[in-house]
Amino acid sequence: MKCIRFLLVVAVAAMMAACSGYDAKKCDELAEKVANNEKLTQSDYAAMIEQLEAMDEEYNKIEKSVGDDAGEQAKLLSDKKFSDMLAHTMVFSYVLSFSDDLDASNAEAWDKLQRKFEARDN
């Protein structure tokens, strides 16, 4: 019984690790749904929140590596991955901010993420 429980814990941890991190393809798919005015599911909203968190981590890494170097900052503006991340960030933030059908779990996760962003800005 302990062996089965251990295997379940390992499987869940592996799935969570696989689901985390910035996924440009997933972001493109979500952005396309928004652009096509498709009905978004609670899973879509949850994925947007997850990806916003992952993109925030990416931005923090970029900020640390680029710092105040104006040349490196200028290069970022022409970098497709970076500009796509910015676009996804704006679209997902807008959609989540103005959505009136987030379930309780997604609404709580979105509020928590916004508080995190606001605390860092202050």
Side-chain angles (χ1 to χ4, degrees), residues 53-107:
E53 291 173 318
M55 287 184 283
D56 183 51
E57 290 176 19
E58 289 292 318
Y59 292 134
N60 288 334
K61 289 177 192 173
I62 291 168
E63 184 178 22
K64 286 179 184 175
S65 69
V66 171
D68 292 331
D69 185 332
E72 288 298 314
Q73 291 174 356
K75 283 183 192 176
L76 279 176
L77 296 176
S78 63
D79 181 276
K80 179 161 175 34
K81 178 183 174 185
F82 184 76
S83 62
D84 286 350
M85 275 188 3
L86 284 175
H88 293 141
T89 299
M90 290 187 294
V91 168
F92 298 168
S93 295
Y94 180 84
V95 167
L96 290 163
S97 292
F98 292 99
S99 175
D100 59 357
D101 65 340
L102 293 179
D103 67 13
S105 175
N106 283 329

Side-chain angles (χ1 to χ4, degrees), residues 33-34 36-42 44-45 99-101:
K33 280 183 117 175
V34 172
N36 292 334
N37 291 317
E38 293 180 34
K39 175 77 174 142
L40 297 172
T41 66
Q42 294 303 316
D44 292 333
Y45 292 129
S99 175
D100 59 357
D101 65 340

Side-chain angles (χ1 to χ4, degrees), residues 20-34:
S20 63
Y22 173 63
D23 184 342
K25 182 178 177 184
K26 181 67 175 175
C27 287
D28 288 341
E29 291 168 359
L30 290 165
E32 187 172 329
K33 280 183 117 175
V34 172

